[in-house]
Amino acid sequence: KDSVDKNLYEMGFFDLSAIGSGLCVVTFAAIAVCQPFLHSSAVESVDSSKAAASGTGKASTNLYQIRFRIRPGSSFVSMNSADVCVQLKRLPGVKDVKSAGSESIPEGFELKASLEDIGVVALRQMKGLAIANEEALLQLGMERERRHLYEAVLDGSSVQVGLPLDNDAMRQALGACPIALRGKEDAVIPKAGDILLLEADERYVVGPVWQREFSMTRMVPNSSPQRVGGVHDRIRCVLVCLGMLGLISLVTFDMLDLASGAGVFVMLLVMSNAHSMATIYKSIKGPVLLTIAGASGLSEALQETGIAVFASQKLTDFALPYGQCGMRLSLYFLCAFLSMFMNNSATIAIIGPMLGTMAAASCAEGDRDCMASDVKSLTFVMVYAAGTCLTSPLGYQTNLMVMKDGGYTFGDFTKFGALIQAVHMVSTVLLVTLANDWWPKIYASSVGN
């Protein structure tokens, strides 16, 4: 919004919604058509390695054996149990998932998983799955942001050694609830040196009773339980949704600027306990902010030195003989190419200042209406292209997130993403042309008649 000359076009909150919705539908349809062919080249090797690991029995000695049940109303209900097991095994830290053999999953159906500590975190975050001893975990009370998963080694002097694990006693003395023993089945009597996975309040971990019971303790990262399902959670959810709706409404009708509104909304999140100040600070991505700030400085430098004008003129000279569609296609290609290697915000900060020069080349001198219309259409193309990088895992954070877990390689993104990117490019140019060039003429003609 701040990269484009506001004298020519100032973007509104919902300006991108209409064309963006159409692009979502077209792109989703293209992905659905191509979906049978979108298997990663690494899937077979990943599956074979997991099968080899599960067949040796060696891996199970260092894994937790935990049961999960299907919640009522879950999206897993009525799905094929074998398909669900295959999907869940893709999650990080999940080595194997077995079912009781039922083909169609009913409510309350149990799955048995062999997993590492991070696998426990991954499955607990799956909507529709509940750990088998969830009722015992709920008895730990509220303040879930203070609770985490811990791996603790039972000391030889621990009162838990040689006795069945007692949920009530551990909750009262240690503020904890046991989940599983590493490498052992359910209902096994623990002994000294066993590694116990448990959920506990962080305030108890530093206490003398805890130090006496466990010789070593390790907290599992990002393992706090999800804050959903309770009465307070529903009230908090309503407040957050209303706050977000209010923010969008106030910004849309220019009653509040986005920066001030966002600050007030963050204060609402903290006061409603939806977030703590620690999580707020943690969510601030320093490298991304520095990248955007650096790109803004680079954008200013490009304008001051005349490089931006030179680059836009060269692009315009190349594309102008092919008309408006040629200009938009060239701009899309440039933005998508840059976003393969840098943050999309940085791409927009660099390309945005060039749009005025590009629009001026295709309009009569002094024709402000033509320039405003062209800058608007070029801005749309720039935003859609920079925000949709499908051909490289480096283009966006989520690309990197799914790369490892899905078993994708760099070549997979190029091989499969190029086709979807081409569909998106053609759809973007067609929809922008329809909305910016054709629809106003059609509307004016219908009104005139």
Side-chain angles (χ1 to χ4, degrees):
K1 185 175 180 180
D2 295 328
S3 299
V4 180
D5 188 351
K6 293 183 179 180
N7 294 320
L8 296 173
Y9 173 59
E10 185 170 4
M11 182 178 291
F13 202 93
F14 291 105
D15 284 6
L16 296 167
S17 300
I19 298 177
S21 299
L23 285 175
C24 287
V25 173
V26 173
T27 307
F28 178 81
I31 294 174
V33 171
C34 298
Q35 191 270 337
F37 311 102
L38 298 181
H39 298 295
S40 70
S41 57
V43 164
E44 294 183 1
S45 62
V46 171
D47 287 344
S48 61
S49 64
K50 285 192 174 185
S54 61
T56 61
K58 179 181 177 181
S60 63
T61 60
N62 289 320
L63 299 176
Y64 296 104
Q65 310 296 321
I66 302 178
R67 297 182 183 275
F68 289 82
R69 58 180 173 81
I70 305 298
R71 295 183 186 273
S74 166
S75 60
F76 293 118
V77 174
S78 300
M79 288 184 63
N80 183 278
S81 60
D83 292 340
V84 171
C85 291
V86 170
Q87 291 178 20
L88 296 179
K89 283 193 288 186
R90 303 271 185 219
L91 296 173
V94 180
K95 300 303 180 182
D96 191 26
V97 181
K98 297 179 180 178
S99 66
S102 174
E103 290 189 2
S104 180
I105 294 181
E107 294 181 353
F109 185 77
E110 281 200 351
L111 301 171
K112 184 177 180 181
S114 301
L115 53 164
E116 300 172 346
D117 53 347
I118 59 173
V120 181
V121 177
L123 285 185
R124 289 186 73 187
Q125 292 176 347
M126 288 292 297
K127 186 177 181 180
L129 282 183
I131 197 165
N133 65 335
E134 185 182 39
E135 290 75 13
L137 292 169
L138 290 175
Q139 293 180 21
L140 292 175
M142 303 300 290
E143 296 188 290
R144 284 162 291 181
E145 67 275 9
R146 292 183 177 272
R147 301 208 308 263
H148 314 278
L149 293 182
Y150 291 90
E151 289 186 301
V153 180
L154 284 169
D155 191 80
S157 61
S158 171
V159 297
Q160 304 294 329
V161 174
L163 297 172
L165 294 173
D166 189 330
N167 292 342
D168 293 333
M170 294 190 71
R171 182 178 69 253
Q172 295 172 11
L174 299 169
C177 177
I179 295 178
L181 286 165
R182 183 192 283 183
K184 297 188 176 182
E185 297 287 340
D186 300 338
V188 173
I189 303 300
K191 59 184 181 181
D194 281 348
I195 299 177
L196 177 63
L197 180 70
L198 66 169
E199 183 175 303
D201 189 315
E202 61 188 18
R203 292 169 292 188
Y204 283 82
V205 177
V206 294
V209 178
W210 186 284
Q211 302 300 325
R212 184 174 65 247
E213 291 291 315
F214 305 111
S215 58
M216 295 179 63
T217 302
R218 170 184 170 270
M219 187 182 79
V220 180
N222 305 315
S223 58
S224 294
Q226 290 185 308
R227 301 166 67 195
V228 295
V231 176
H232 296 289
D233 299 320
R234 297 190 187 98
I235 296 174
R236 186 185 302 114
C237 181
V238 171
L239 287 175
V240 171
C241 290
L242 290 177
M244 192 65 190
L245 180 62
L247 173 62
I248 293 174
S249 301
L250 292 173
V251 173
T252 301
F253 294 106
D254 293 326
M255 300 174 65
L256 189 68
D257 67 274
L258 183 58
S260 302
V264 173
F265 185 59
V266 169
M267 291 175 61
L268 173 65
L269 294 179
V270 174
M271 289 189 293
S272 64
N273 205 28
H275 276 290
S276 65
M277 289 305 301
T279 58
I280 293 293
Y281 285 126
K282 187 177 180 180
S283 65
I284 298 175
K285 307 298 183 183
V288 175
L289 294 177
L290 290 174
T291 299
I292 296 173
S296 298
L298 177 60
S299 174
E300 292 290 337
L302 291 174
Q303 294 178 73
E304 292 295 331
T305 58
I307 296 177
V309 175
F310 174 79
S312 59
Q313 285 177 344
K314 290 300 181 183
L315 180 62
T316 302
D317 292 342
F318 169 78
L320 194 57
Y322 303 99
Q324 291 287 356
C325 287
M327 185 86 73
R328 292 161 186 167
L329 283 170
S330 299
L331 178 64
Y332 184 103
F333 181 83
L334 176 62
C335 293
F337 177 78
L338 291 178
S339 292
M340 290 174 61
F341 309 104
M342 65 173 66
N343 182 277
N344 54 358
S345 299
T347 298
I348 290 175
I350 293 172
I351 300 298
M354 304 180 185
L355 302 186
T357 304
M358 295 175 65
S362 58
C363 295
E365 186 175 353
D367 191 345
R368 300 285 295 180
D369 292 339
C370 175
M371 285 190 61
S373 176
D374 281 4
V375 167
K376 179 180 178 181
S377 66
L378 293 174
T379 300
F380 279 29
V381 172
M382 175 185 68
V383 172
Y384 293 133
T388 311
C389 181
L390 308 174
T391 53
S392 165
L394 306 177
Y396 205 71
Q397 298 95 320
T398 49
N399 294 12
L400 292 172
M401 291 178 187
V402 303
M403 186 175 181
K404 179 181 178 181
D405 297 339
Y408 293 102
T409 64
F410 201 104
D412 288 332
F413 279 88
T414 304
K415 181 168 56 176
F416 299 121
L419 176 60
I420 309 300
Q421 189 86 56
V423 172
H424 186 269
M425 177 177 67
V426 174
S427 303
T428 297
V429 174
L430 286 178
L431 289 175
V432 169
T433 301
L434 175 63
N436 192 74
D437 299 346
W438 299 344
W439 175 248
K441 295 178 182 178
I442 296 172
Y443 180 75
S445 177
S446 63
V447 171
N449 293 333

